[in-house]
Amino acid sequence: MKKVYLTTTLPYVNASPHLGFALELVQADIIARYERLKGNEVVFNTGTDEHGVKVYRKAEDEGVDVQKYIDEKVKDFIYLTKALRIDQTNFHFTRTTDPHHVAAAQEFWKRCEKDIEKRTYEAKYCVGCELEKTDSELENGHCILHPNLEIEIIKEENYFFLFSRYQKPLLDFYNEHKEFVIPQTRFDEIRSFVENGLKDFSISRLKSKMSWGVEVPGDSEQVMYVWFDALVNYISTLGWPEDKENFEAFWPGIQLAGKDNLRQQTAMWQAMLLSAGLKPSKQVMIHGFITSGGQKMSKSLGNVVNPLEIIEKYGVDALRYWLAREANTFEDSDFTWEKFHESYTANLVNGLGNTVSRIIGMAHLYSIDTKTAEPTELAMNLQVNLDDYDLKKAADSIWEELGGLDRYIQKTEPFKTIKTDPDKAKADVAHLLRELWKITIRLEPFLPQTSHKILSALETNEPIEPLFPRIASSLTPIP
């Protein structure tokens, strides 16, 4: 049994959780469940990033105390993890305002002090990204990712992390770990970024201008830059620095992040770890955005999709299916209610649902005990390889197997041969039941509720209710 540690990024709490974060949660949960099926011990971490300018200003705009604002917003993110049926086994929800995390961030700062110095500087800053921007990263004077926000000019005395010192160490690490970033295109992208030279970056803000942050050790006039503080959650959640045994058992871990986090997760954070004398992450998987009608989801455009709306109308496993199979694992994917409904009807109602109902229905009709169909060593028969994290490919293979069962039914026609050759018909249905057992086990990481329903029916030899009800084609989202 191996110890496996998986973590998502931590979203800001200045807005409700959106479909893009649901994608990352479900991707991580599928991998975690897959590892548990293999018999491994898994810790799964997610949580909320609660410091920084965006959060502080949002609380100010609403005229509420910032901590009270955050405490209310966090409830939405916790609820989403439960609504998505994220496995709660060894599940961590890290809040960056938690006292333990704050203490860990301050200790981490101290261990990096040889690579930290104070400077006066002026920079262009995107509040949406919480990052400094060069002219080449702007389009018409605006951030490409947040074109609705004005670029701000920051001029003050702050602490800087000497990122430039870590060009060679990072390139050496990349060369020694050829699969550190998945997919390869993102690895090539970050390698090129580092090869072109690294600029030291600011890791603090004047407390008089922005007080909402972790205080810099030894300097009560400065608070940590939100990225420096938040990144430490990946190790603070494992008990670092005081619980050395647990930390060393699970670290280094596997991180999931969106493509807009590539630089922070695969270069900045790794340099910080090296500076603190800690091992870099084991691997980082980068996914794309969920777009809507071809446009990046944005509150200003009014095209943000709330994952809870989808769950309420279609059920949680319908959403998990779409995020795993219909969404591209590594590139951008476009969501529309129309496409979602079509996929739901074709692949869940008419696909998985009908196939399962036909097989179990014939078993009961022909008095075949479904309990006798269970294959041995189920976990050894997974045949779904998620070691490369290509969730779509793995899900496609399951639906290919389901299609094979349907073709087998059409070829053997047990519903006809039961009248002329009942022994053959029963043998064919028994074969279908055995294959269904295998597929259902493989399905569990993707659609846990559905897998449980099928297994329950097979284990108890009971009839099964329709897995996915047919829903009217009204595509108007729930208010």
Side-chain angles (χ1 to χ4, degrees), residues 90-144:
N90 286 345
F91 176 72
H92 294 197
F93 191 95
T94 302
R95 297 184 58 181
T96 57
T97 55
D98 179 81
H100 174 263
H101 170 79
V102 171
Q106 290 175 325
E107 175 62 25
F108 191 89
W109 178 288
K110 293 175 185 176
R111 298 195 186 192
C112 294
E113 280 184 332
K114 67 181 185 301
D115 294 314
I116 296 174
E117 67 176 38
K118 210 172 191 181
R119 299 176 185 171
T120 300
Y121 83 113
E122 182 175 315
K124 294 176 180 178
Y125 186 78
C126 172
V127 173
C129 293
E130 294 275 18
L131 283 175
E132 297 161 17
K133 297 289 179 177
T134 62
D135 289 337
S136 63
E137 295 174 308
L138 303 178
E139 191 173 280
N140 299 320
H142 289 79
C143 171
I144 296 171

Side-chain angles (χ1 to χ4, degrees), residues 48-67:
T48 42
D49 187 348
E50 302 177 10
H51 292 123
V53 176
K54 285 198 292 189
V55 174
Y56 184 72
R57 288 183 180 173
K58 189 66 176 178
E60 274 192 325
D61 290 344
E62 296 192 11
V64 296
D65 174 77
V66 63
Q67 188 64 59

Side-chain angles (χ1 to χ4, degrees), residues 282-414:
K282 180 179 180 181
Q283 205 165 38
V284 183
M285 173 193 155
I286 302 292
H287 61 79
F289 293 145
I290 300 291
T291 59
S292 180
Q295 294 180 299
K296 184 178 183 294
M297 287 189 184
S298 165
K299 289 180 69 178
S300 61
L301 294 174
N303 64 349
V304 173
V305 176
N306 186 335
L308 297 178
E309 291 179 358
I310 302 173
I311 293 171
E312 186 174 347
K313 185 167 185 177
Y314 291 94
V316 60
D317 274 3
L319 176 56
R320 289 178 65 105
Y321 166 81
W322 191 91
L323 293 172
R325 188 176 183 221
E326 300 297 345
N328 188 307
T329 305
F330 304 117
E331 301 299 333
D332 291 356
S333 305
D334 194 61
F335 176 93
T336 66
W337 285 94
E338 181 179 10
K339 286 191 289 188
F340 186 95
H341 182 83
E342 289 174 355
S343 173
Y344 171 84
T345 303
N347 299 306
L348 296 179
V349 177
N350 297 334
L352 175 61
N354 277 355
T355 300
V356 171
S357 292
R358 291 186 74 184
I359 294 171
I360 294 180
M362 285 190 293
H364 285 287
L365 188 61
Y366 309 153
S367 301
I368 300 172
D369 189 349
T370 58
K371 291 183 289 187
T372 63
E374 182 178 0
T376 59
E377 299 182 15
L378 285 173
M380 301 301 293
N381 290 308
L382 283 172
Q383 299 174 15
V384 175
N385 190 345
L386 280 175
D387 294 334
D388 61 0
Y389 310 132
D390 194 334
L391 276 61
K392 177 174 172 54
K393 183 173 72 175
D396 281 345
S397 72
I398 294 175
W399 260 259
E400 287 170 10
E401 291 292 328
L402 281 167
L405 296 190
D406 190 57
R407 290 189 295 273
Y408 187 87
I409 294 172
Q410 299 309 316
K411 179 183 177 180
T412 59
E413 297 185 318

Side-chain angles (χ1 to χ4, degrees), residues 9-29:
T9 53
L10 303 194
Y12 290 116
V13 292
N14 64 312
S16 297
H18 54 73
L19 194 56
F21 182 54
L23 169 72
E24 196 168 300
L25 279 173
V26 169
Q27 286 180 333
D29 186 59

